């Protein structure tokens, strides 16, 4: 949980921590502006106090599969469109959480094993990521849906400012389910398209603004 919060904090994303143990919140965390709700996350009133109805997403990493399953079910009943990521210990728990309303279920042990395999097979890629992070460059992949009033609607990918903004487009998923991985340069962006992009955290934070026409102009020098 602390690792998740640190990740969000570095990316300047607002979040709320829910825990029954207030001592977990150190003074350093409080000074950094982390928001905290003291309570049981399996209870509806606690989730509502944390703002679950207006939240963009929820991650539950409680110690047991049963508790995480209960949080998933409660949160889904309170917020139908909420993105819910849950921790599960095995495939059976994952299937139950998905049926209860989880968007994704992650097994940290399996994910760690997958990264170890990648490191074994492609050490240069992992070394590149580590070197980049050592120099303060953090990378991320994100997906953003193109709004109806985006100035990029009916624009070919080759004519968009995405590449100049340091954003690499990996794929496009059309509203009808048609996918393009990687997308051709002549592909036209349409309202409702889901764009999958890769870039540094700093560049990716401006991705939604570009799609909504809020790109800031920076003067040279």
């Amino acid at each position: 949980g602390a690792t998740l919060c640190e990740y969000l904090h570095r990316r300047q994303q607002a979040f709320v921590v829910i825990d029954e143990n207030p001592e977990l919140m150190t003074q350093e965390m409080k000074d950094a502006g982390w928001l905290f709700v003291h309570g049981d996350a399996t209870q509806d009133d606690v989730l509502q106090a944390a703002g679950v109805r207006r939240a963009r997403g929820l991650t539950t990493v409680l110690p047991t599969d049963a508790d995480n399953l209960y949080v998933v079910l409660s949160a889904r009943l309170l917020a139908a469109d909420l993105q819910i990521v849950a921790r599960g210990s095995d495939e059976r728990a994952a299937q139950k959480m998905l049926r209860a309303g989880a968007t994704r279920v992650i097994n940290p042990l399996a994910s760690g094993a997958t990264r170890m395999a990648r490191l074994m097979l492609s050490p240069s890629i992992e070394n590149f990521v580590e070197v980049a992070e050592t120099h303060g460059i953090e990378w991320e992949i994100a997906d953003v849906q193109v709004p109806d009033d985006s100035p990029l609607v009916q624009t070919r990918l080759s004519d968009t400012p995405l590449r100049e903004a340091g954003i690499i487009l990996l794929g496009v998923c059309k509203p009808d389910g048609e996918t393009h991985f990687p997308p051709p340069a002549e592909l036209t962006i349409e309202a409702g398209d889901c764009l999958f992009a890769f870039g540094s955290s700093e560049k990716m934070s401006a991705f939604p603004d570009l799609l909504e026409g809020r790109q800031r102009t920076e003067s040279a020098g």
Side-chain angles (χ1 to χ4, degrees):
T3 301
L4 289 169
C5 293
E6 289 166 359
Y7 183 91
L8 294 172
H9 179 69
R10 288 198 303 271
R11 284 158 177 76
Q12 299 180 351
Q13 299 295 315
F15 61 90
V16 180
V17 180
I18 303 175
D19 203 282
E20 291 185 293
N21 183 4
E23 294 181 0
L24 291 178
M25 284 293 289
T26 66
Q27 189 59 47
E28 182 180 6
M29 294 175 182
K30 295 176 182 177
D31 292 342
W34 293 17
L35 301 178
F36 179 78
V37 170
H38 178 212
D40 182 354
T42 65
Q43 301 299 312
D44 289 359
D45 58 336
V46 175
L47 290 175
Q48 293 186 57
V52 67
R53 293 186 186 277
R54 61 180 183 277
R56 175 180 172 184
L58 176 147
T59 300
T60 175
V61 290
L62 293 174
T64 69
D65 288 335
D67 283 342
N68 286 320
L69 176 61
Y70 206 96
V71 172
V72 169
L73 182 59
S74 297
R76 178 55 69 214
L77 291 175
L78 291 171
D81 298 326
L82 185 69
Q83 292 291 314
I84 302 176
V85 180
R87 182 175 70 180
S89 62
D90 55 39
E91 185 62 27
R92 287 193 307 169
Q95 290 303 318
K96 290 179 181 178
M97 291 180 193
L98 289 171
R99 286 198 295 269
T103 311
R104 295 283 186 275
V105 180
I106 304 297
N107 182 333
L109 293 178
S111 299
T114 300
R115 184 176 183 186
M116 291 174 70
R118 285 203 307 263
L119 180 60
M120 180 177 64
L121 297 175
S122 305
S124 297
I125 294 177
E126 290 292 328
N127 288 341
F128 169 76
V129 173
E130 290 177 1
V131 170
E133 291 180 347
T134 299
H135 287 79
I137 303 174
E138 295 189 357
W139 306 91
E140 64 180 69
I141 298 176
D143 65 294
V144 178
Q145 189 172 45
V146 179
D148 294 341
D149 57 351
S150 171
L152 299 186
V153 171
Q154 298 303 316
T155 302
R156 297 197 313 170
L157 290 181
S158 57
D159 296 330
T160 68
L162 296 179
R163 182 170 291 275
E164 289 78 4
I167 298 172
I168 301 173
L169 205 60
L170 301 176
V172 176
C173 183
K174 294 291 185 179
D176 62 1
E178 179 184 357
T179 58
H180 300 269
F181 290 93
E186 64 273 12
L187 185 69
T188 299
I189 294 179
E190 299 174 336
D193 284 355
C194 189
L195 308 185
F196 297 85
F198 169 81
S200 69
S201 298
E202 179 184 1
K203 301 298 184 182
M204 291 301 293
S205 64
F207 190 20
D209 289 343
L210 285 173
L211 292 181
E212 295 175 14
R214 298 198 304 262
Q215 182 181 9
R216 290 173 296 182
T217 303
E218 298 179 3
S219 58

